[in-house]
Amino acid sequence: MVQQSNELLDKVTELFWAKGFQATSMRDVQHALNMRPGSLYARFPGKSALFVQVMEHYAGQLKAHLLTIAQASDLIEATRMFFTQELLRAPDKRYQRQCLLINAMAERSKLDDNAAVALDAALNDVEDGFRHLISALQHHHFVTQTVPAKIVAKWLQTQFIALRHTAYRSADDAGVAYHIDKLLLDLQGQWPTSHGSSSSPAELPD
Amino acid sequence: MVQQSNELLDKVTELFWAKGFQATSMRDVQHALNMRPGSLYARFPGKSALFVQVMEHYAGQLKAHLLTIAQASDLIEATRMFFTQELLRAPDKRYQRQCLLINAMAERSKLDDNAAVALDAALNDVEDGFRHLISALQHHHFVTQTVPAKIVAKWLQTQFIALRHTAYRSADDAGVAYHIDKLLLDLQGQWPTSHGSSSSPAELPD
DNA sequence: TTGTCTCTTGAACAAATGTTCAAGTAAACC
DNA sequence: GGTTTACTTGAACATTTGTTCAAGAGACAA
């Protein structure tokens, strides 16, 4: 009758995702996991530790997803699919259109040190996933190689974050699909030649 | 010795901006305004009402700013200036790089009905400001007229949101400036011809 | 049965938070 | 001077929240 840690984390992740970290009380967690306070605290040292594990859980999954995509045969289509899947989640899971990490960022001032570090690590992890995807896109000449993958990756992650917010708010899914089309155009389109970006735009990280 | 309501709202806005709505306690507000609980509650019926007024205050200012920009002679340069100003706020006001509205969105589940309505209204207000700017840009042929201003405006607001997050997190201001350049390229660049966007791409809302 | 070990229970605590209200202050008006 | 009016004060309340811990339950060995 003992639940696996992964199942537990799945459920807690959903909670934090749907309601936010602060808005989710330990009593909410206890109820969702059908555990009493003592048992819960035997498993997780406290709310902050729970947050840390959820961050790792979430970022790990997202990064893995991105690495899979980077190996697809039709990269552009796979990228579009990725965005479509993430952004057009069905109404019953609409809260998943939001980005858990961004919501967490908004609550940063209330996080303790461990939690803040975990949040940063999670964001960097996801960025790393995007960098792999961009490198693949550059390798297949979908994206100019004159701009470092790292910079394009940051751009794409930025787009992802913003679209999640818009998709969450918008009632118009077709409009979101249009935004994705625009994004894919811009990705393959023109890039500024330079603007004092510290690293030379010519060199490509791995 | 009585403070103007605008001064009060300015201070409360800063508080909410820097710490977040939930993370700011009424005692924080009392301290910042040098008011005792009773006086504060005589002026504002409660924390939720405070939130509502801050939303109106903030969105009103941002929209006004956008309307001013829409009347500049060099629209592209004015737009770039707008983004640069908002995104590269000096270190002592770094928290203002974040978007107050987005942070509020992340706490939506804890807002009561009035506050949620005010938040939506604020977001729509800002979107309206962007729409005016886009209309001006289209009028001067910087942006294609084949796409409705409303759609482009939503895109630009999305970009704005995204860049704010990145600018807040990033240690590299030159990178942010590069992102702004890319944004201005994309704005003037290619737009998808259609993708089931419900309203016909030919007609332009004023 | 008895004893031991592991895990669970739920009442309880302490701190924080939004809010109220009777009492106090001082200026304005008759 | 006396009375009313408008505003301020700060102690206090009720609720929520993260967390703890002594007591209990059940499995298994002696």
Short mmCIF file of all heavy atoms in Angstrom, two decimals, chain B residues 17 46-47 61 71 94 97 100 125 148 193 196:
data_model
loop_
_atom_site.label_atom_id
_atom_site.label_comp_id
_atom_site.label_asym_id
_atom_site.label_seq_id
_atom_site.Cartn_x
_atom_site.Cartn_y
_atom_site.Cartn_z
N TRP B 17 5.08 44.91 -6.85
CA TRP B 17 5.97 44.62 -7.98
C TRP B 17 7.21 43.88 -7.48
O TRP B 17 7.66 42.91 -8.06
CB TRP B 17 6.39 45.93 -8.63
CG TRP B 17 6.69 45.85 -10.09
CD1 TRP B 17 7.00 44.74 -10.81
CD2 TRP B 17 6.70 46.94 -11.01
NE1 TRP B 17 7.21 45.07 -12.13
CE2 TRP B 17 7.03 46.43 -12.28
CE3 TRP B 17 6.48 48.32 -10.91
CZ2 TRP B 17 7.14 47.23 -13.42
CZ3 TRP B 17 6.60 49.10 -12.04
CH2 TRP B 17 6.91 48.57 -13.28
N GLY B 46 -9.83 46.81 1.85
CA GLY B 46 -9.18 45.52 2.12
C GLY B 46 -8.07 45.26 1.13
O GLY B 46 -7.80 46.06 0.23
N LYS B 47 -7.40 44.15 1.30
CA LYS B 47 -6.25 43.86 0.45
C LYS B 47 -6.67 43.67 -1.00
O LYS B 47 -5.97 44.10 -1.92
CB LYS B 47 -5.54 42.60 0.97
CG LYS B 47 -4.11 42.50 0.50
CD LYS B 47 -3.46 41.19 0.90
CE LYS B 47 -2.00 41.16 0.42
NZ LYS B 47 -1.38 39.85 0.61
N GLN B 61 -0.94 53.43 -16.62
CA GLN B 61 0.34 54.07 -16.95
C GLN B 61 0.99 53.43 -18.18
O GLN B 61 1.48 54.13 -19.07
CB GLN B 61 1.29 53.94 -15.76
CG GLN B 61 1.01 54.94 -14.66
CD GLN B 61 2.13 54.98 -13.62
OE1 GLN B 61 2.01 55.69 -12.63
NE2 GLN B 61 3.20 54.24 -13.84
N GLN B 71 2.59 57.83 -31.32
CA GLN B 71 2.54 59.13 -32.01
C GLN B 71 3.93 59.68 -32.32
O GLN B 71 4.05 60.80 -32.79
CB GLN B 71 1.77 60.14 -31.15
CG GLN B 71 0.29 59.78 -31.02
CD GLN B 71 -0.46 60.75 -30.14
OE1 GLN B 71 0.14 61.45 -29.34
NE2 GLN B 71 -1.78 60.78 -30.30
N ARG B 94 15.70 46.61 -10.53
CA ARG B 94 15.70 45.43 -11.39
C ARG B 94 14.36 44.69 -11.34
O ARG B 94 13.92 44.13 -12.34
CB ARG B 94 16.83 44.49 -10.97
CG ARG B 94 16.84 43.15 -11.69
CD ARG B 94 18.11 42.40 -11.40
NE ARG B 94 19.07 42.55 -12.48
CZ ARG B 94 19.13 41.73 -13.53
NH1 ARG B 94 18.29 40.75 -13.65
NH2 ARG B 94 20.03 41.91 -14.46
N ARG B 97 11.89 44.93 -14.08
CA ARG B 97 12.01 44.24 -15.37
C ARG B 97 10.94 43.17 -15.51
O ARG B 97 10.54 42.81 -16.60
CB ARG B 97 13.40 43.59 -15.48
CG ARG B 97 14.53 44.61 -15.58
CD ARG B 97 15.86 43.90 -15.80
NE ARG B 97 16.94 44.86 -15.99
CZ ARG B 97 18.13 44.54 -16.50
NH1 ARG B 97 18.35 43.29 -16.87
NH2 ARG B 97 19.06 45.45 -16.65
N LEU B 100 4.49 43.06 -13.81
CA LEU B 100 3.61 42.96 -12.64
C LEU B 100 2.38 42.12 -12.95
O LEU B 100 1.93 41.32 -12.12
CB LEU B 100 3.20 44.37 -12.21
CG LEU B 100 2.23 44.49 -11.05
CD1 LEU B 100 2.74 43.76 -9.83
CD2 LEU B 100 1.98 45.95 -10.71
N ASP B 125 -6.33 46.06 -21.24
CA ASP B 125 -5.97 47.47 -21.39
C ASP B 125 -4.61 47.60 -22.06
O ASP B 125 -4.43 48.39 -22.99
CB ASP B 125 -5.93 48.12 -20.00
CG ASP B 125 -6.66 49.45 -20.00
OD1 ASP B 125 -7.58 49.62 -20.84
OD2 ASP B 125 -6.32 50.31 -19.17
N PRO B 148 -4.42 41.35 -39.24
CA PRO B 148 -5.14 42.30 -38.39
C PRO B 148 -4.26 42.83 -37.26
O PRO B 148 -3.49 42.08 -36.66
CB PRO B 148 -6.29 41.47 -37.82
CG PRO B 148 -6.47 40.35 -38.77
CD PRO B 148 -5.11 40.07 -39.33
N THR B 193 0.55 33.45 -43.91
CA THR B 193 -0.59 33.98 -44.67
C THR B 193 -1.92 33.63 -44.03
O THR B 193 -2.87 34.40 -44.13
CB THR B 193 -0.56 33.44 -46.11
OG1 THR B 193 -0.33 32.02 -46.04
CG2 THR B 193 0.57 34.07 -46.89
N GLY B 196 -6.16 29.30 -40.23
CA GLY B 196 -7.46 29.15 -39.57
C GLY B 196 -7.72 30.19 -38.50
O GLY B 196 -8.55 29.98 -37.65
#
